[in-house]
Amino acid sequence: MNAAQMYNLMLADSTTPTEWAVYGIAVAATAFVLLRSRTKAKKDPMNRPPDVNSLAQQRSVERQMQNLLIELSEMARQVTAGLDTRAAKLDALIREADEKIAALTSLRSSIDLNNSTPAPAAAPPPCAYEPDPRHLEVYTLADQGQSPSQIAGQLNRPNGEIELILALRPRS
């Protein structure tokens, strides 16, 4: 069958207007779907106009950040000024201490020159610890080699007390 015969066959076939309407609707729907999918793929969210509320929020955040930076720089200036003041005070105190040390050194050397007699040797500091008389018995018995429980039995004192007294005994 050739093309002419097919064409004649198609013309001979009677199509109703309802069928033509259905064919037209199908073609229109197909075209709509194809065109719509192409336009959706081409839309870029960055191309749409900016939202007025989001711009206002951005500007508000920018202002807050600027205010925060101003506050931080002010605080840094205050801290730096406080540190500078303290450093100056420390320098003055060090200078004053150096002057007093120099004065004491010169005074000491002048006293040593005036007195040819040697300065008396400093007495050794007194013993900082004098044992409690109540503990002397415990120390004496411990020095004789008795155990804390034996000492507690002889002195009628609790075993924990004797152990504590011995544990706190200064080393000599």
Side-chain angles (χ1 to χ4, degrees):
M1 214 193 244
N2 64 18
Q5 289 174 345
M6 282 179 74
Y7 180 71
N8 286 337
L9 195 80
M10 283 177 44
L11 286 177
D13 187 22
S14 65
T15 55
T16 63
T18 309
E19 289 177 344
W20 282 110
V22 169
Y23 292 142
I25 290 174
V27 169
T30 305
F32 177 75
V33 167
L34 289 175
L35 289 175
R36 187 165 185 228
S37 66
R38 286 186 184 170
T39 57
K40 275 191 174 180
K42 291 182 182 178
K43 283 187 180 178
D44 186 10
M46 298 302 288
N47 287 340
R48 71 172 194 235
D51 188 15
V52 176
N53 290 334
S54 67
L55 284 177
Q57 288 175 346
Q58 278 183 334
R59 288 188 182 121
S60 172
V61 169
E62 286 176 10
R63 273 188 239 109
Q64 289 175 353
M65 294 295 280
Q66 287 174 349
N67 290 339
L68 183 62
L69 286 173
I70 291 169
E71 288 176 15
L72 285 174
S73 65
E74 181 64 30
M75 188 186 319
R77 276 190 223 115
Q78 289 175 353
V79 168
T80 304
L83 288 175
D84 289 343
T85 302
R86 288 183 181 180
K89 286 180 182 178
L90 282 174
D91 285 341
L93 288 172
I94 289 172
R95 215 173 301 113
E96 184 181 331
D98 286 341
E99 290 170 1
K100 288 183 179 181
I101 289 172
L104 286 173
T105 305
S106 65
L107 182 63
R108 184 176 184 186
S109 64
S110 67
I111 289 175
D112 287 343
L113 291 176
N114 291 340
N115 294 336
S116 60
T117 59
C127 182
Y129 175 76
E130 291 186 21
D132 190 346
R134 296 174 293 169
H135 298 169
L136 286 177
E137 289 179 285
V138 175
Y139 297 153
T140 306
L141 293 173
D143 290 340
Q144 292 173 0
Q146 293 188 15
S147 69
S149 57
Q150 291 172 339
I151 297 171
Q154 279 185 341
L155 299 177
N156 291 328
R157 293 168 92 178
N159 193 19
E161 180 183 352
I162 302 301
E163 288 177 356
L164 181 64
I165 290 171
L166 292 175
L168 296 176
R169 182 179 186 182
R171 306 282 182 225
S172 51

